[in-house]
Amino acid sequence: MKENFSYPINTEWTTDEIVLVVDLWATLEQVYEKKVSAEAFLEKYELFKRVVKSIGEERQLGREYEALTGYSLYQVVQLARKQKKGILNKKELVK
């Protein structure tokens, strides 16, 4: 992952909305670098979806984030939904 980069955000969002989206990006990083429960990730993702309602925008932001970090929003969401609880098993994430 690059050391200095900007999270993908929409400049039209409110400060509160930006905080929710950035919180998801930070949690996504933790999935790959530390340990995060599926429940905790899904909570952050639910808040993210209140801001990013369209699947097209979610995919665009996810691709931008993955290009910056190498971390896949799509893969983590799929894993968290499949696993539902407990620490996310990073071994199931394809790099």
Side-chain angles (χ1 to χ4, degrees):
M1 180 171 81
K2 297 177 186 175
E3 288 298 315
N4 294 315
F5 64 91
S6 298
Y7 287 126
I9 58 169
N10 183 329
T11 55
E12 295 178 10
W13 292 335
T14 67
T15 301
D16 290 340
E17 290 171 330
I18 290 171
V19 168
L20 293 174
V21 172
V22 168
D23 197 27
L24 176 77
W25 298 139
T27 304
L28 186 60
E29 284 178 27
Q30 290 177 355
V31 169
Y32 281 88
E33 297 173 1
K34 297 178 184 177
K35 293 181 180 181
V36 175
S37 71
E39 300 97 333
F41 179 81
L42 290 171
E43 281 178 23
K44 302 290 184 180
Y45 180 69
E46 183 180 315
L47 295 172
F48 169 84
K49 288 304 290 178
R50 292 182 188 174
V51 177
V52 181
K53 293 177 174 73
S54 85
I55 192 69
E57 184 178 18
E58 177 182 341
R59 287 178 179 162
Q60 176 190 355
L61 292 168
R63 282 191 299 267
E64 289 176 28
Y65 184 81
E66 189 170 356
L68 291 168
T69 64
Y71 301 158
S72 171
L73 174 61
Y74 175 80
Q75 287 185 5
V76 174
V77 168
Q78 294 304 307
L79 177 60
R81 285 178 174 164
K82 175 183 164 189
Q83 200 171 310
K84 293 187 177 92
K85 58 185 176 179
I87 300 299
L88 290 170
N89 184 354
K90 293 183 264 191
K91 293 177 185 174
E92 293 191 34
L93 297 172
V94 179
K95 289 223 174 184

